[in-house]
Amino acid sequence: MASLDVTGVTKSFGATHVLHGINLAVEDGEMIVIVGASGCGKSTLLRIVAGLETATSGSIRIAGREVAALEPAERDIAMVFQNYALYPHMTVEQNMAYGLKIRGLPRAEITRRVAEAAGLLGIEALLTRRPRQLSGGQRQRVAMGRAIVREPKLFLFDEPLSNLDAKLRVQMRAEIRRLQRRLGVTSLFVTHDQIEAMTLGDRLVVMHAGHAAQIATPMEIWARPADTYVAGFIGSPAMNFLDGTLAEGGHAVALKAGPVLRFADGPRAGGEGMPLTIGIRPEHVAVAEGGLDLPLDLVEPLGSETVLHGRLPGGEALVVKLGGPAPGQSSLPVAFPAEALHVFDGGTGKRLDP
Ligand SMILES: Nc1ncnc2c1ncn2[C@@H]1O[C@H](COP(=O)(O)OP(=O)(O)OP(=O)(O)O)[C@@H](O)[C@H]1O
Ligand SMILES: [Mg+2]
């Protein structure tokens, strides 16, 4: 088990700059989820940690030791990929044992580790089968088993659940979380799925175009997103954004849609009239007598809740999430509670706190 320190890591493929200086300190036993849109550099970062790719600059330390000069096999890391990469001609047992055999571990030790991992994963009955005789979820377990038997310092997961159907994904996600807690192995888990990220990570790295836009616990990111990108990426349905300007000596926002809303948590710095972007999550929009009239253009009933889409006076889109079944009206009176507002600089998109 080990800590991981990523310091100032950049990566360019020729003229293409993919990573722009990533800093990340992972504690021993921590599960970090790297989440972001396709192409933002998640796999590249993971591959650099694994030693499958070389950083253009910066350093990687595992348990305090610089690993730049070490081959992937010398880094004491186990990686689980989306496509599992199992050997088709070997049984489950042979697949799990292979890496240990190559390293020359004694046969009794290999048998012990394979049996223990198979027990942990509930695949004892599958040990004599070949990969093609397994379901997707079973193959995923075998790939996990192969990583576990190596007793690595670090687990790296690159979208390991994305080939599974929705139900199995949820189940395997919970299993991976329990297993990681139980084994206490420091882990990096890459996904583009924000629900997976929120449920799996002790902390998240939200990546945006080769930068770490925010590194924090899931709840902190949800409650205090660092910028409009993170705010719009984490949370479902996505946060609403409304244009406005700073008013009342920094104590309020004058929304383009009409109302002037006073901040619950104190004034923001900046001149009167400075452009702001106000964020409010769909579940925090209030439905209240005397609110703004929101004509609805789409109602999505989800059973236990309903998602409503409409346009405010002035044309800005607004999404509202209500607990319970769909209301019958074609429009709703909506209001924006002061304590639910997120205030961002209208120019840079950065969060503005009092
Ligand atoms: N070997 C390479 N040569 C040139 N460009 C590359 C290479 N590998 C990756 N890239 C580019 O680097 C960027 C980041 O790629 P990366 O695979 O890290 O993204 P990702 O965040 O993992 O995306 P996804 O969610 O689609 O897997 C992309 O624009 C990609 O085209
Ligand atoms: Mg990738």
Side-chain angles (χ1 to χ4, degrees):
M1 265 158 270
S3 61
L4 166 70
D5 293 285
V6 173
T7 313
V9 165
T10 70
K11 177 66 182 177
S12 304
F13 295 102
T16 315
H17 305 298
V18 174
L19 297 176
H20 304 279
I22 304 289
N23 294 298
L24 172 65
V26 185
E27 285 169 34
D28 186 15
E30 209 180 4
M31 175 81 146
I32 296 281
V33 177
I34 302 171
V35 62
S38 184
C40 71
K42 306 179 295 292
S43 295
T44 303
L45 178 60
L46 211 65
R47 292 169 57 80
I48 289 171
V49 173
L52 301 171
E53 204 78 74
T54 313
T56 303
S57 64
S59 94
I60 306 284
R61 278 176 295 142
I62 298 175
R65 180 182 178 207
E66 170 63 54
V67 296
L70 299 183
E71 293 294 319
E74 299 167 332
R75 294 189 183 195
D76 219 350
I77 279 173
M79 197 152 169
V80 182
F81 299 95
Q82 177 179 352
N83 60 11
Y84 323 136
L86 299 175
Y87 299 108
H89 58 287
M90 292 184 191
T91 64
V92 165
E93 185 167 20
Q94 288 164 344
N95 262 288
M96 284 167 68
Y98 184 69
L100 305 182
K101 248 170 116 175
I102 295 288
R103 283 201 281 161
L105 260 72
R107 180 187 288 264
E109 174 67 10
I110 296 177
T111 308
R112 182 191 70 76
R113 288 197 194 179
V114 169
E116 191 179 302
L120 268 176
L121 293 159
I123 54 172
E124 299 102 319
L126 307 177
L127 287 173
T128 57
R129 292 207 205 165
R130 294 185 202 282
R132 72 182 141 74
Q133 299 167 308
L134 302 174
S135 71
Q138 291 167 335
R139 281 180 211 171
Q140 188 54 60
R141 283 196 184 82
V142 177
M144 286 285 302
R146 194 176 47 179
I148 291 170
V149 295
R150 297 185 48 192
E151 300 180 358
K153 286 208 186 90
L154 206 60
F155 276 140
L156 304 179
F157 299 92
D158 195 351
E159 311 233 13
L161 306 180
S162 49
N163 280 341
L164 305 179
D165 68 45
K167 195 171 166 202
L168 197 53
R169 266 185 96 119
V170 172
Q171 189 188 334
M172 284 300 294
R173 175 173 95 198
E175 281 186 30
I176 287 182
R177 188 60 179 130
R178 275 191 217 104
L179 210 58
Q180 192 273 337
R181 283 244 166 88
R182 189 151 154 202
L183 300 172
V185 180
T186 313
S187 302
L188 287 186
F189 189 107
V190 163
T191 180
H192 59 262
D193 180 327
Q194 50 124 349
I195 308 263
E196 210 162 277
M198 293 286 281
T199 52
L200 270 175
D202 291 315
R203 286 188 298 153
L204 312 186
V205 179
V206 182
M207 280 188 66
H208 179 209
H211 294 275
Q214 190 169 9
I215 303 176
T217 63
M219 277 318 288
E220 192 176 341
I221 286 181
W222 186 81
R224 296 173 43 81
D227 60 29
T228 49
Y229 179 81
V230 175
F233 192 80
I234 297 289
S236 175
M239 186 183 277
N240 294 293
F241 295 113
L242 303 173
D243 287 338
T245 52
L246 197 59
E248 296 182 10
H251 283 278
V253 57
L255 288 181
K256 185 180 139 200
V260 175
L261 307 174
R262 214 171 154 85
F263 302 132
D265 52 358
R268 267 57 176 185
E272 201 81 2
M274 167 186 164
L276 298 178
T277 300
I278 298 299
I280 182 157
R281 296 203 180 275
E283 57 272 37
H284 293 158
V285 175
V287 176
E289 280 306 314
L292 281 176
D293 185 52
L294 181 73
L296 302 175
D297 48 35
L298 180 66
V299 175
E300 299 176 308
L302 302 175
S304 63
E305 53 200 29
T306 305
V307 177
L308 307 151
H309 301 252
R311 280 191 189 279
L312 288 168
E316 285 176 299
L318 189 79
V319 177
V320 182
K321 185 157 100 177
L322 298 179
Q329 314 92 292
S330 61
S331 75
L332 281 181
V334 295
F336 308 115
E339 61 280 4
L341 302 181
H342 298 259
V343 184
F344 303 100
D345 185 311
T348 64
K350 296 279 179 223
R351 181 181 196 85
L352 292 178
D353 283 325

